[in-house]
C-alpha cells in the first residue's frame, strides 16, 4: 500500500491546482476513476462525487471529502520531489496527502467487506472565499451527500482525529490619508506610516487560548496582505490591509466586529468583513465518531478552518482525519510524510472493515 | 493675454499625459506649433525642441524647459474645470501652467524686440525614474540646447524664482518573514507586522532643515508605496516598501546609504537605492540669473527635485521659475491660479524685452 500511496500523492502533486485552476486535475481524476468499475461519478464545475453504482441501503453512510486546490506556490516555485520518505510539493500536506488516501480507499479497499456505504467528494476552491467553495455547488447538484451519517474530511491532521474548527474571517482595513507631493509631505497625510502603530500592535499581540469541551483553540489576528500608494513620489492616501482573524467555536460575526471596533478605535481607518466562515462546533456524541475515537485515535481541536463547519451547518456530523502535517500547510517548502499516509489509510481501513 | 493663457492651459489639460502616455499631447503640440511661422522643430520620442529658424548669434541664449507628463489621476478622476480664476485638472500646477506660459511666449511674444535668443524644450517622463527622463534623449539628439546661457524650468514656483533643488532617491526596503498557514502564525514570521515599528518611527520623524547659502531646504523620508503578502490565508513572508528620500544640496548617494543603514539597523530588512537624482547646487552668480533676480523677484530654495540638477550636471546654469503652485503639485484636486500665469508671463516678457 505504501507504494500505491506514494504513487497517488505524486499523481496529485504533479498536477498543479492553485485555487481557480483545478480543471486539469479534476479532468484527469474523472478519467482515472472511470477505469475502476462499480463507481458512479457526478461532476459539477470542477467538483467530483463518487458513490457505488449498487449501494447497500442497509449500511451506515460515510462520506470522505477532500479539496483539490492549493494555495499558490512560493516565489521561485516548489518543485515536486521525494527525499527518502518525505514528499515535497505545493499541497503535499494540505491536502493532497488526504486526497491520495481517499483515492486509495476508492480504488483499492474491499468495500464488499465493509459495514459502511461509502461516497467521496473531491472539490475545488476551498482555499478561496467562503462563498465560492466548491462544496456549495455539490450540496445543490448532489444533495444526497448530505445524507451521510458521518463526513470525514481528510484535511491535514497528522493521523489524529481533529474535531471542531476555528472560524475564520477576512477583514479589509483601510487607512486613509491625504495625497501630496512627496517632497512636501507636510501638505498631506501619509496613510502608510499612519498604519505603523496598528501593525506594531498586532506584532506584539499574544495568541489567545479558548477552551471548548476540554479542547484548547487559539485565536489569532494576522495581517496577511497590504497594498498602498499610487506613485513613488506621492504621499500615499490609502493603505489597504487584509487581516485574517481566526476565532474559537462559539463566537460569531458580531464578536469579529467587536474586536475590530476596539482595535481601530483612535485610528483613521475603516474596516469591512469581506469573508466570514463560521467556527465548527465540538460535538463528540455521533456514534460513528465514537467508534472511531474508541479505536484509539488521539482527539485534538482543529486549529484551522475546515469544511467541518460547513457540514455541521447542514446538520451533518463531521470531523477532520487526514494524512498531511498541519504544520506544513501553506509552508514555503511544504512536504508530507509517507508514513503518515500509511497510518491514516490503515486506521481507516481497519475502522471500515466488518 | 489672460484669455490666451487660460486657453493654453485648458489646451494642455484636456490632453491627459500621465508619464508614459505623452504621445498624443506631443503629437498635437507639434502640429499646433507648426502653424506658427519662424520656428524649427526637432522631435525625439515624445520630446520636442523649438528654436528660431533664423537665430541671431550675437544674442544671449535662453532656454525654457517644461515637462509634458503628469502623475496619475486620483481615484475617481480629476475632471478639468474652471472655477472663477482657478483651473482644476491633473497637472494644472505641475506643470501645465508652466507649459502654457512657454507656449504663449513661443506663439505670442515679439522676439524681434528681445535681447535673448530663445529656445524651448517640452519633454516626457519627468515624473518617472531619473534615467528615463526625456531630457536625456534631448541632450543626445539636440545637444545645442546645452549651449544655453541660462535654462529656466517652468516648474511650479508660484511666480517666485526658486534656485537649487533637493535631491531625490527612491529606496526599496524589503522586510523578510517566513510563510505559514495564517491559522497558526507562530509557525512563521510576519513580514507585515515586522515593519510596523519602522513605519511608526517614520510617522513620528521630524522634517530636517538644512541651510545652504542662506536658503533653507527640508529633508524628508516618505514611504510612498507598499506591497506585501501572497494570499489572504498565508502569513506574509515579504513586505516591499518604497521610500522617497529628499535630501539637501551637497549630499550624495553615500549620505543616502548611511541614512538607511542607520534606519534599518536592528530590523530584518534589506534596502536598495533604485533611483537617484542628485541635488541641484545653489549658484546665484550667473549674470542672466542676477538680472532676473534684480527685476525684483522673490528668491527661494526649491523644495522638490527638478531638472535644474540635470542641467547643472551638464554645466548649464538653471533655475525654476514657473506659474503653478508648488503646494498643488500631485494633490488630489490639483489646481492652478490663472493670475499666477499672467504674473509669470508678464515678468518673463518684461525681463526679455530690450
Amino acid at each position: 500500500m505504501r507504494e500505491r500511496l506514494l504513487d497517488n500523492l505524486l499523481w496529485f502533486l504533479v498536477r498543479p491546482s492553485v485555487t481557480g485552476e483545478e480543471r486539469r486535475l479534476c479532468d484527469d481524476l474523472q478519467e482515472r476513476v472511470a477505469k475502476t468499475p462499480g463507481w458512479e461519478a457526478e461532476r459539477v464545475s470542477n467538483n467530483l462525487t463518487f458513490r457505488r453504482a449498487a449501494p447497500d441501503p442497509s449500511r451506515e453512510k460515510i462520506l470522505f471529502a477532500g479539496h483539490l486546490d492549493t494555495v499558490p506556490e512560493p516565489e521561485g516555485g516548489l518543485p515536486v520531489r521525494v527525499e527518502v520518505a518525505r514528499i515535497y510539493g505545493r499541497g503535499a500536506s494540505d491536502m493532497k496527502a488526504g486526497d491520495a488516501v481517499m483515492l486509495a480507499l476508492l480504488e483499492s479497499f474491499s468495500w464488499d467487506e465493509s459495514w459502511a456505504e461509502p461516497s467521496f467528494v473531491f472539490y475545488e476552491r476551498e482555499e478561496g472565499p467562503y462563498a465560492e467553495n466548491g462544496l456549495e455547488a455539490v450540496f445543490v447538484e448532489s444533495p444526497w451527500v448530505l445524507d451521510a451519517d458521518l463526513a470525514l474530511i481528510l484535511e491535514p491532521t497528522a493521523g489524529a482525529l481533529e474535531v471542531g474548527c476555528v472560524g475564520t474571517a477576512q477583514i479589509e482595513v483601510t487607512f486613509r490619508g491625504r495625497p501630496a507631493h512627496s517632497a512636501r509631505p507636510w501638505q498631506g497625510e501619509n496613510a502608510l506610516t499612519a498604519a505603523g502603530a496598528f501593525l506594531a500592535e498586532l506584532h506584539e499581540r499574544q495568541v489567545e487560548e479558548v477552551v471548548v469541551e476540554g479542547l484548547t483553540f487559539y485565536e489569532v489576528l494576522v495581517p496577511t496582505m497590504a497594498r498602498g500608494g499610487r506613485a513613488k513620489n506621492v504621499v500615499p492616501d490609502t493603505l489597504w490591509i487584509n487581516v485574517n482573524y481566526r476565532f474559537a467555536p462559539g463566537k460569531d460575526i458580531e464578536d469579529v466586529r467587536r474586536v475590530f471596533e476596539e482595535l481601530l478605535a483612535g485610528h483613521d481607518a475603516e474596516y469591512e468583513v469581506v469573508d466570514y466562515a463560521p467556527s465548527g462546533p465540538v460535538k463528540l456524541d455521533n456514534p460513528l465518531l465514537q467508534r472511531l475515537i474508541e479505536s484509539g485515535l488521539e482527539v485534538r481541536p482543529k486549529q484551522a478552518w475546515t469544511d467541518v463547519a460547513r457540514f455541521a451547518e447542514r446538520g451533518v456530523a463531521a470531523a477532520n482525519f487526514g494524512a498531511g502535517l498541519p504544520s506544513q500547510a501553506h509552508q514555503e517548502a511544504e512536504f508530507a510524510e509517507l508514513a503518515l499516509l500509511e497510518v491514516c489509510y490503515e486506521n481507516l481501513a481497519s475502522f471500515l472493515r466488518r
Side-chain angles (χ1 to χ4, degrees), chain A:
Chain A
M1 186 48 59
R2 188 179 175 88
E3 279 309 308
R4 173 168 287 264
L5 289 166
L6 174 58
D7 288 349
N8 283 3
L9 178 51
L10 292 174
W11 187 90
F12 278 102
L13 288 176
V14 297
R15 291 168 169 82
S17 54
V18 173
T19 308
E21 297 164 20
E22 301 93 338
R23 179 171 301 280
R24 194 188 136 212
L25 173 56
C26 190
D27 288 348
D28 289 357
L29 182 62
Q30 186 170 13
E31 197 179 319
R32 172 168 170 166
V33 175
K35 290 173 191 151
T36 305
W39 293 95
E40 219 165 58
E42 281 177 22
R43 177 163 178 170
V44 45
S45 189
N46 296 314
N47 305 287
L48 277 170
T49 52
F50 301 104
R51 53 180 164 171
R52 295 202 301 170
D56 176 350
S58 70
R59 289 186 183 186
E60 286 166 295
K61 288 182 282 297
I62 189 155
L63 174 73
F64 301 91
H67 63 82
L68 293 172
D69 61 322
T70 70
V71 293
E73 292 202 1
E75 261 174 65
L78 173 43
V80 176
R81 68 182 197 278
V82 179
E83 279 184 14
V84 195
R86 213 167 246 195
I87 304 100
Y88 289 82
R90 176 51 83 221
S93 269
D94 184 11
M95 59 172 282
K96 293 186 168 181
D99 295 328
V101 169
M102 283 169 64
L103 191 56
L105 284 173
L106 189 157
E107 292 179 332
S108 311
F109 185 71
S110 302
W111 288 102
D112 292 342
E113 293 160 28
S114 179
W115 49 263
E117 184 54 49
S119 60
F120 294 85
V121 185
F122 294 91
Y123 61 102
E124 65 177 349
R125 293 179 180 271
E126 192 271 349
E127 300 285 4
Y130 182 74
E132 293 174 14
N133 185 299
L135 278 183
E136 293 296 331
V138 173
F139 291 167
V140 171
E141 299 294 325
S142 307
W144 53 265
V145 300
L146 295 172
D147 298 335
D149 297 301
L150 177 65
L152 287 180
I153 303 178
L154 280 83
E155 289 274 7
T157 68
L161 191 68
E162 294 191 345
V163 295
C165 77
V166 291
T168 178
Q170 301 289 359
I171 296 96
E172 293 185 352
V173 178
T174 307
F175 280 80
R176 299 277 178 208
R178 212 153 32 82
H181 193 297
S182 57
R184 291 176 297 277
W186 55 86
Q187 292 167 349
E189 279 171 44
N190 193 317
L192 224 163
T193 59
F198 170 77
L199 292 171
E201 192 184 326
L202 290 185
H203 196 64
E204 300 304 325
R205 192 183 172 101
Q206 299 298 313
V207 168
E208 203 157 323
E209 299 189 3
V210 180
V211 179
V212 181
E213 301 263 336
L215 300 168
T216 304
F217 292 86
Y218 299 95
E219 295 195 331
V220 292
L221 267 166
V222 185
T224 52
M225 300 182 85
R227 300 277 180 274
R230 183 176 292 163
K232 287 189 167 186
N233 51 2
V234 179
V235 172
D237 60 341
T238 57
L239 175 66
W240 171 92
I241 302 174
N242 187 83
V243 183
N244 185 202
Y245 180 36
R246 307 275 173 158
F247 49 93
K251 292 204 176 160
D252 64 18
I253 196 163
E254 285 314 312
D255 296 293
V256 173
R257 291 210 178 95
R258 200 153 31 241
V259 164
F260 277 81
E261 295 292 345
E262 280 172 27
L263 210 54
L264 293 172
H267 290 285
D268 190 6
E270 300 145 21
Y271 76 94
E272 191 185 347
V273 181
V274 293
D275 194 33
Y276 172 82
S279 52
V282 178
K283 281 191 182 162
L284 302 174
D285 54 2
N286 175 277
L288 292 184
L289 196 56
Q290 273 303 322
R291 206 186 297 170
L292 191 55
I293 292 169
E294 282 157 16
S295 78
L297 296 179
E298 188 192 355
V299 180
R300 292 193 304 223
K302 183 69 196 170
Q303 183 57 31
W305 187 87
T306 78
D307 279 308
V308 157
R310 199 180 300 266
F311 279 101
E313 275 200 314
R314 308 287 179 132
V316 181
N320 302 287
F321 182 63
L325 287 156
S327 60
Q328 283 299 312
H330 304 193
Q331 286 280 6
E332 202 160 359
E334 182 180 353
F335 63 82
E337 298 275 10
L338 184 54
L340 284 173
L341 275 76
E342 256 188 305
V343 167
C344 179
Y345 180 87
E346 292 305 340
N347 276 328
L348 283 173
S350 86
F351 167 62
L352 293 164
R353 261 180 224 118
R354 214 177 259 126

